[in-house]
Amino acid sequence: MEKNREIRETENIPVTEPERQYYFIEKAAAHLREMSREAGRPLTFCVTTFGCQMNARDSEKLVGILEKIGYVEEENEEKADFVIYNTCTVRENANLRVYGRLGQLGRIKKKNPHMMIALCGCMMQEPEVVEKLKKSYRFVDLIFGTHNIYKFAELLATRMESDRTVIDIWKDTDRIVEDLPSERKYPFKSGVNIMFGCNNFCSYCIVPYVRGRERSRDPKAIIREIERLSADGVSEVMLLGQNVNSYGKTFNPPVTFAQLLKEIEKVEGIRRIRFMTSHPKDLSDELIEVMARSKKICRHLHLPVQSGSTRILEKMNRRYTKEGYLDLVERIRKAMPDISLTTDIIVGFPGETEADFEDTMDVVRKVRYDSAFTFIYSKRTGTPAAVMEDQVPEEVVKKRFQRLLDEVQTIAAEACAVHEGTVQEALVESVNEHDDSLVTGRLGNNLLVHFPGDESMIGSYVNVRLNECRGFYYIGERTEKEK
Ligand code: SAH
Ligand code: SF4
Ligand code: F3S
């Protein structure tokens, strides 16, 4: 009898996606109801995200699935019954943070019989990490990677039905599953994946190994998602990809990123379009033209330079030169004088000399970035740079890093001060964390302004006079005057 039922159940499991996952959401929900009954209270979850905006977007998908299953969100991970870490491995310190916090979680788990811990994201794509977890962190319940995140409900239901750790890691994938639930962090803005993976293999970077080969999402699916978001109150979208400028190249016939942008501009209700990240080698004149003409595409480009030295850029496999980059910046500025430019810079790449570093400083002074993320080179096992000779000594790197940071910050503060006194449109994002008589709004160029207001303004666009620049943000006031 029991056996027959089991067979019937197996037969009923849908084989197509996303139907299969909705089936497992129901199944996990039934288990959760049982677990809640035992505990005598609703069970809670907490998703902690490390790393970039891709991970942040993936976490929204995890939250969407968890809420559909019936878990209730708990902000404090030490109190939650189900803790999920969505991990990053782009630099060594990202990994160390995960291990540190995991040790602490293990101690808490001993005291809570209902507690479960799941690990997912980029770190899980590294075999040595999974080995280490299996050996030294046996209290982890569920481990999965970046390619099968859509299977979260299925994996969770499997874990609920057995008491063994469930581990499912795929090496790569060519599939993209559409139409799964997701829960946005902000009601008025949303990230939208337009592509997954990366094919660039910059020699220092682990992302292509942990995120797999580049795959673009079908433009129709992207537009459908944005139309739905708009109908649901979203007015700002951030298009996400490791290299958005190579979007659609594999389609037959190819679709360019600029063409995709033009389609997205037509979606009613969308007022702001952002995107990241742009690889300088693929940024086309067509894109500059479309941006310059657009009223919706924000005047902001994140254009990681990584190094200003042509010699180092070559060793990094970035496929542009210092001069090529500066020329690109000039073309962009000519078409859009008011554009805000931001960047990523790595200090201490193997073989970097004082002269190479001076080239980086030179680019910083010439481009005058509105802001820059600066990183100390971190050796990632398995990447070509990890085995390059001439790794730069730590003391040298630290000194260079400080010099770069000082320069970047001085220039950013000057660049920010240029807009002092002007009136700009801000999208109100939140009540100010430190002073609840203020709200915080984001300008088109991505800078923040704090000004008097209240919760009711969240999600609306208002004109703000930027009275005072405080380095990286403004203090302002609302005004009716048009900019
Ligand atoms: N796809 C994006 C970047 C993704 S990773 C691009 O190509 O621009 C984000 C940033 O982390 C990179 O721009 C780089 O500056 C930094 N980064 C990547 N690998 C690193 C490493 N091994 N050490 C230090 N910084 C690194
Ligand atoms: Fe890494 Fe380069 Fe790909 Fe960016 S483009 S994710 S830096 S390999
Ligand atoms: Fe980190 Fe993965 Fe993003 S390694 S930076 S979370 S793609």
Side-chain angles (χ1 to χ4, degrees), residues 149-162:
I149 193 162
Y150 75 89
K151 269 182 72 184
F152 179 44
E154 182 170 349
L155 298 171
L156 179 56
T158 311
R159 173 63 188 90
M160 285 168 158
E161 283 164 16
S162 85

Side-chain angles (χ1 to χ4, degrees), residues 52 54 89-92 198 200 202 204-207 241-243 277-280 302-306 318 343-347 373-380 383:
C52 67
M54 313 275 165
T89 187
V90 78
R91 286 171 291 274
E92 180 70 21
C198 180
N200 288 309
C202 302
Y204 50 81
C205 184
I206 200 156
V207 171
Q242 293 298 352
N243 175 9
T277 296
S278 285
H279 195 304
H302 186 63
L303 197 61
V305 66
Q306 312 300 0
R318 291 289 290 181
T343 201
D344 293 348
I345 302 170
I346 298 176
V347 183
F373 295 103
T374 49
F375 304 108
I376 286 182
Y377 167 72
S378 171
K379 201 180 196 174
R380 307 314 289 132
T383 63

Side-chain angles (χ1 to χ4, degrees), residues 59-153:
S59 288
E60 292 184 344
K61 295 174 187 170
L62 297 174
V63 171
I65 292 169
L66 287 163
E67 293 194 338
K68 262 232 139 63
I69 289 173
Y71 276 104
V72 180
E73 186 155 19
E74 160 65 59
E75 301 219 332
N76 181 349
E77 71 178 32
E78 302 198 351
K79 286 192 191 152
D81 299 295
F82 188 15
V83 176
I84 299 100
Y85 280 178
N86 191 4
T87 62
C88 169
T89 187
V90 78
R91 286 171 291 274
E92 180 70 21
N93 54 9
N95 293 40
L96 297 177
R97 275 173 63 209
V98 168
Y99 288 125
R101 288 175 68 162
L102 198 53
Q104 208 173 334
L105 270 193
R107 288 186 282 282
I108 298 169
K109 192 180 179 195
K110 282 200 182 124
K111 292 184 219 143
N112 179 357
H114 298 284
M115 187 165 176
M116 286 208 293
I117 299 172
L119 295 177
C120 62
C122 296
M123 245 176 107
M124 302 307 124
Q125 293 296 136
E126 294 182 280
E128 0 16 302
V129 169
V130 177
E131 280 313 307
K132 182 164 172 169
L133 292 170
K134 276 203 241 171
K135 218 167 107 202
S136 315
Y137 297 85
R138 299 182 59 164
F139 54 83
V140 175
D141 297 277
L142 177 56
I143 298 174
F144 56 102
T146 55
H147 304 303
N148 54 349
I149 193 162
Y150 75 89
K151 269 182 72 184
F152 179 44

